[in-house]
Amino acid sequence: MSQGIENKVVVITGASSGLGEATARHLAERGASVVLGARRSNRIAALAEELSTKGYKAKAVQTDVTDQHQVKKLVDTAVNAFGRIDVMLNNAGLMPLAPLERLKVDEWDRMIDVNIKGVLYGIAAALPHMKAQKSGHIINVSSVYGHVIDPSATVYCATKFAVRALSEGLRKEVKPYNIRTTIISPGAVSTELLEHISEKDIQAGTKEFVSKIAISADTFARTVAFAVNEPDDVDINEILFRPTAQPV
Ligand SMILES: NC(=O)c1ccc[n+]([C@@H]2O[C@H](COP(=O)([O-])OP(=O)(O)OC[C@H]3O[C@@H](n4cnc5c(N)ncnc54)[C@H](OP(=O)(O)O)[C@@H]3O)[C@@H](O)[C@H]2O)c1
């Protein structure tokens, strides 16, 4: 594996907006080759085009992370194009908040499919390549809600606790292959995440709270860059950050 960020091949799920998009820009500007996955192909194609025009290396592959074959294709495309995969950033996620008693069962299913199974499919796609290389770095996105539970966020919290649990198991398992693992748990960051809350009262309350304190998506990109940039023998396992003004 190359050291630092420059020349690393980084696959990012959920690269069409928010944290994933900011990280793609940040790492590409620092010399990484970025391979962008998301369902909105127009967005990731435009971002890849913009980065390529600036002289950076970027590719877009339309990907729904709930489909294991599409996630494998995303990673295999990166390996075919750039020769290897150094970093897998399992970032795609959604947060349709609602109390359990409102029985938004379809939303529970979607959160489990994207936030948990999508991360597992990312691991499944990247791990064989990284084991063969005897190097790599898998970064999974949890949340402050992977550490605390709020009643309007129970299922979302459960998915983000699950991301931490499977990342910790992965960390212990991949030591023999020289693979690093990082959990990043952000607090309130300004992105499109709240747009997918279907319960209008919950959405309004959350937006009001978040709009007062949220920090920019670049804060997340900088934490990813920090973990990736550390020397190969340093394994940054978990980063939890919040806006200074966020109380919980
Ligand atoms: N913003 C925050 O305050 C915050 C705090 C803690 C944790 N997080 C976590 O950060 C991650 C990124 O969220 P964000 O804040 O950047 O929100 P965002 O702006 O809504 O971005 C979410 C990304 O996930 C992608 N996505 C959703 N479903 C997908 C699917 N089935 N297949 C592929 N991609 C899918 C979206 O792309 P398409 O719609 O184009 O597919 C989009 O690129 C999530 O895991 C979220 O839980 C965010």
Side-chain angles (χ1 to χ4, degrees):
M1 167 143 84
S2 48
Q3 299 282 319
I5 295 172
E6 197 171 6
N7 296 323
K8 277 193 179 153
V9 179
V10 181
V11 176
I12 303 173
T13 67
S16 60
S17 66
L19 307 186
E21 179 185 350
T23 305
R25 289 182 197 283
H26 194 87
L27 296 183
E29 286 163 6
R30 282 153 186 80
S33 304
V34 293
V35 181
L36 317 174
R39 291 166 305 171
R40 287 171 292 178
S41 55
N42 54 338
R43 289 242 197 149
I44 51 174
L47 179 57
E49 173 73 24
E50 177 200 317
L51 293 172
S52 302
T53 304
K54 289 178 178 163
Y56 307 130
K57 292 193 192 119
K59 255 185 120 45
V61 182
Q62 185 175 31
T63 309
D64 184 333
V65 298
T66 66
D67 180 337
Q68 188 190 352
H69 302 290
Q70 291 188 35
V71 184
K72 185 176 184 314
K73 187 177 149 222
L74 168 70
V75 169
D76 289 349
T77 302
V79 174
N80 290 334
F82 297 114
R84 61 182 194 280
I85 172 173
D86 296 308
V87 181
M88 180 75 199
L89 175 56
N90 289 307
N91 163 73
L94 71 161
M95 188 184 72
L97 301 179
L100 283 176
E101 64 178 337
R102 295 199 194 177
L103 303 181
K104 307 289 288 185
V105 177
D106 288 352
E107 294 183 350
W108 302 350
D109 285 342
R110 277 176 48 226
M111 279 190 277
I112 290 165
D113 286 347
V114 176
N115 298 3
I116 303 178
K117 291 170 75 177
V119 171
L120 284 168
Y121 294 159
I123 292 168
L127 203 48
H129 295 292
M130 291 181 177
K131 279 173 72 174
Q133 295 168 176
K134 282 223 178 290
S135 72
H137 191 168
I138 296 178
I139 303 177
N140 296 330
V141 181
S142 180
S143 172
V144 165
Y145 274 164
H147 293 258
V148 300
I149 298 167
D150 183 276
S152 70
T154 303
V155 178
Y156 180 74
C157 293
T159 66
K160 293 302 185 178
F161 271 72
V163 168
R164 289 184 55 233
L166 61 90
S167 302
E168 177 60 3
L170 178 70
R171 180 186 73 76
K172 293 181 171 166
E173 213 183 301
V174 296
K175 287 287 162 186
Y177 308 114
N178 189 39
I179 296 171
R180 307 193 290 179
T181 62
T182 304
I183 304 160
I184 303 186
S185 296
V189 180
S190 183
T191 67
E192 297 175 16
L193 196 65
L194 308 185
E195 300 307 321
H196 310 292
I197 302 175
S198 62
E199 297 293 281
K200 292 304 164 200
D201 57 330
I202 306 276
Q203 186 185 47
T206 311
K207 276 189 169 176
E208 196 194 346
F209 167 70
V210 168
S211 66
K212 287 185 190 136
I213 60 166
I215 49 180
S216 83
D218 200 52
T219 55
F220 173 84
R222 294 199 303 273
T223 65
V224 175
F226 165 68
V228 172
N229 192 44
E230 283 299 289
D232 199 15
D233 58 354
V234 179
D235 194 9
I236 303 295
N237 296 128
E238 184 149 18
I239 298 173
L240 166 62
F241 72 97
R242 296 172 170 85
T244 308
Q246 182 174 340
V248 284

